[in-house]
Amino acid sequence: MTDQEHSNLHPDDPETTGHSWDGIQEFNNPLPRWWLWCLYATIVWALLYTVAYPAWPMISGATPGLLGYSTRAEVAEEIDRYDALNADLRTQLTEVDLAGVTQEDMPDLYNFSIQSGGATFATWCSQCHGRGANGVQASGYPSLLDDDWLWGGTVDDIHQTIAHGIRNEEDPDARWSEMTAFEGILSDEEISQVVNYVLTVSDQEADTTLAAAGETVFLDNCAACHGDNAMGDRYLGAPNLTDRIWLYGGTPEAIEETVRHSRFGVMPPWSGRLSEAEVRATAIYIHSRGGGE
Amino acid sequence: MSSSDAPPKLYAAQEPIFPKKVKGTFRNLKWVIMFVTLGIYYITPWIRWDRGPSLPDQAVLVDMAGRRFFFFWIEIWPHEFYFVAGLLIMAGLGLFLFTSALGRVWCGYTCPQTVWTDLFYTVERWIEGDRNARLRLWKGKWDLRKWRLRITKWIVWLLIAVATGGAWVFYFADAPTLLRDLLTGQAAFVAYATVGVLTATTFLFGGFAREQICIYACPWPRIQAAMMDEHSITVAYRDWRGEDRGKGKDREGLGDCIDCNACVNVCPMGIDIRDGQQMECITCALCIDACDEIMEKTGRERGLIDYLALTDEANEREGNPKVPVMRHILRPRTLIYTALWSLIGVGLVVALFIRSEIGLTVAPVRNPQFVTLSDGSIRNTYDIRIRNMTQGDAVFRIGLTSDEILRVDLEGGQDLMVDVPADETLLQRVYVIARPDDPAATADRTELRFWVEEFGTNERAYQSQSFIGQGTQ
């Protein structure tokens, strides 16, 4: 660094830092001292912060910090707070007549049920019935959105199904139906005839000769549960075979599979795992998704 | 300045500034602007505006919880945020316009930092005296009198700071209610925190940081350099008239400047304008007032320090007559800024008058895409939101326009009429059903048009959507 580099062109200019590039000099216009102290303050603040709050990574987790701050604890606190806020609604929900909970008559309770029931559904029910409650066709998880119900679609019916489940052995109050597997009972020809008959009652294409013969087979073997007109029986949980909705699919192959080997879909009971208020809210939620009766 | 072997200093202590009291045109202008801007700031939240029941009756209110902005008869909903964006663009263009025409006129007169610092200086002068008294006090020992004056000053500053921070929160809640809550300790924590932060910043920035904010913290001095040109009006010293400066009666060979330092003593930024244009200058023009007063006293022409453009220097050195200020201001650049600014302004006003007071949003539920009903009908579900932006409850009829035959049902089994309370949005689940023999049931996609019609006024809002049929499978 030479004196030349430190000198200025104009006598009133501030001194230079000595940095010069291509004839351009850097003036030394010092920053105010308070700014320097602000910098020190931020450094001190940063150090204190890492002591006060969780920060330094250790072998198993970070240092907890002197203030005991924890986001998990905060979330738990928030959840408790909202639980406390909703306690009244929850109690009310377990006491009211479910059919009376509507948008017009009890908007607060209805909205609470839709929101919390939706959350419960997403957590516990969507694995089988799908996030949109549309079920999984052909795998026996029914759509809850349509207007076809094996066991009835009033909000009380739905509540009963959620609380006790379907065909499970853990709960004596569970709804129960069981179709006979007809392989071995009916001959292959009879099975073929009854399948064609079922296709005709649901307005699908079928072999008319086989279907005509199938009517007798149906009346002898199936009508006891499904009814003479194949309309099913909700009391027995026997599905209506004349509509367009098929739990396991309505193709000839799927129907034949059902006749031969029968089906045995199981839904677990929820009354032990979920609170009564949760079960009720979920029933109201499902009832509101477009299929409720 | 000569070089030395010691390394140059990187940090310097703040030089205290003791601006002297000054009288004159620009000082009066600053008083008026301070009075008007502070008046607007403090009074606005207290203006009442009757909007009818269930709506706030505060004329200007930023309702965060309800996501509304109320401005007298105008109500801005969140989806109309483009009004705010438009106003911000206008504010930006306005700054370009004023800066290109008049330099840092914003800084000198209307910047909150300037206004409050000016107010704080006024308090300081009122309690501790003018420049010389303050200088003496600053140098003097911390005796009883100094403590008394200092503490009095800080208390008054603090009161102003509290009032400043306090006024801000009234824009965000009903002012009388909030004031009562603040005083009785019932207001929300965020209200106290806001008042606290704004009180602290006002007290520190206005009382202690002052010109430091303008020089070191504010980016505007750096940015404004890009918006000015040689025609921009700034405060400047006519050195061709003033130099060589000098004291004394014998003015032989001397210019008009008597080197009285009046311009330096009144400067709130602590600079000497005779050094030429400099970044620190906020063009508040107090030096013009101070110099003009001296020029009057000494019987010389006013305007030794004046609002000038850079081009004036060359022009006046040649002895040409002064160029009128308006000639500097009215030039293509400023006219283009004005035109753009007005265009956006007119656009916003037009948008304000043609905007619809009802709104419709239709969100199709696509999980599942459709539901097959037991009779073979295909049903699609839509969540529709109807906004009633009027100030009265309204009944809307929901309808559908389509070439195909489709049926509409509302969840909850009502007829197709829904009530939407004033200033609210209603969420309604709607089912659209195509019977098995409707073309839409078997088609892939069918275009539909939802509409809602306000009962009584026949005002409609539309939205196009599509219906998904079995053809997608």
Side-chain angles (χ1 to χ4, degrees), chain A residues 16 19 47 66 152 170 187 189-190 211 216:
Chain A
T16 71
H19 302 158
L47 287 173
L66 293 179
E170 301 161 37
S187 68
E189 196 191 352
E190 284 171 317
T216 324

Side-chain angles (χ1 to χ4, degrees), chain A residues 16-281:
Chain A
T16 71
T17 57
H19 302 158
S20 161
W21 188 85
D22 216 9
I24 298 172
Q25 295 177 313
E26 184 184 15
F27 283 171
N28 177 29
N29 283 307
L31 265 185
R33 210 168 48 195
W34 59 263
W35 196 301
L36 180 69
W37 284 107
C38 285
L39 173 67
Y40 292 155
T42 57
I43 293 169
V44 172
W45 172 267
L47 287 173
L48 290 177
Y49 192 92
T50 65
V51 175
Y53 285 92
W56 298 103
M58 308 300 271
I59 291 162
S60 55
T63 51
L66 293 179
L67 295 183
Y69 173 84
S70 150
T71 43
R72 274 171 193 278
E74 268 195 357
V75 170
E77 216 171 273
E78 285 273 285
I79 291 173
D80 288 347
R81 196 159 66 82
Y82 283 103
D83 274 348
L85 282 175
N86 289 327
D88 283 351
L89 284 170
R90 214 165 270 139
T91 319
Q92 207 189 331
L93 189 59
T94 55
E95 287 160 0
V96 291
D97 173 22
L98 274 185
V101 183
T102 59
Q103 177 82 68
E104 288 80 46
D105 297 339
M106 302 184 187
D108 285 351
L109 208 52
Y110 180 81
N111 288 331
F112 172 74
S113 302
I114 298 296
Q115 299 302 327
S116 69
T120 308
F121 184 88
T123 312
W124 299 104
C125 317
S126 61
Q127 288 86 346
C128 293
H129 291 284
R131 185 66 185 84
N134 53 317
V136 181
Q137 292 289 311
S139 296
Y141 301 122
S143 166
L144 308 175
L145 306 171
D146 59 32
D147 57 348
D148 189 36
W149 295 89
L150 278 171
W151 302 94
T154 66
V155 69
D156 287 312
D157 288 333
I158 296 169
H159 173 257
Q160 157 82 13
T161 302
I162 299 172
H164 303 290
I166 305 277
R167 288 183 212 102
N168 75 82
E169 282 154 11
E170 301 161 37
D171 189 335
D173 292 332
R175 299 181 187 277
W176 196 283
S177 69
E178 192 170 347
M179 176 164 157
T180 313
F182 283 94
E183 194 171 53
I185 298 172
L186 297 177
S187 68
D188 285 356
E189 196 191 352
E190 284 171 317
I191 288 173
S192 176
Q193 287 167 345
V194 83
V195 165
N196 277 283
Y197 175 70
V198 169
L199 286 170
T200 40
V201 297
S202 60
D203 284 341
Q204 299 191 69
E205 275 179 37
D207 183 318
T208 42
T209 336
L210 287 173
E215 183 166 6
T216 324
V217 182
F218 183 86
L219 289 172
D220 289 349
N221 296 282
C222 317
C225 294
H226 291 285
D228 288 350
N229 50 11
M231 298 274 275
D233 186 338
R234 279 183 175 179
Y235 184 73
L236 300 169
N240 182 349
L241 305 177
T242 63
D243 63 20
R244 305 285 181 94
I245 294 169
W246 295 89
L247 190 49
Y248 292 92
T251 61
E253 295 76 27
I255 295 171
E256 186 175 334
E257 168 70 22
T258 307
V259 174
R260 278 182 189 278
H261 304 293
S262 123
R263 310 273 191 177
F264 196 80
V266 175
M267 166 156 158
W270 294 96
S271 60
R273 311 187 202 193
L274 302 176
S275 72
E276 175 62 11
E278 283 173 312
V279 171
R280 284 171 159 246

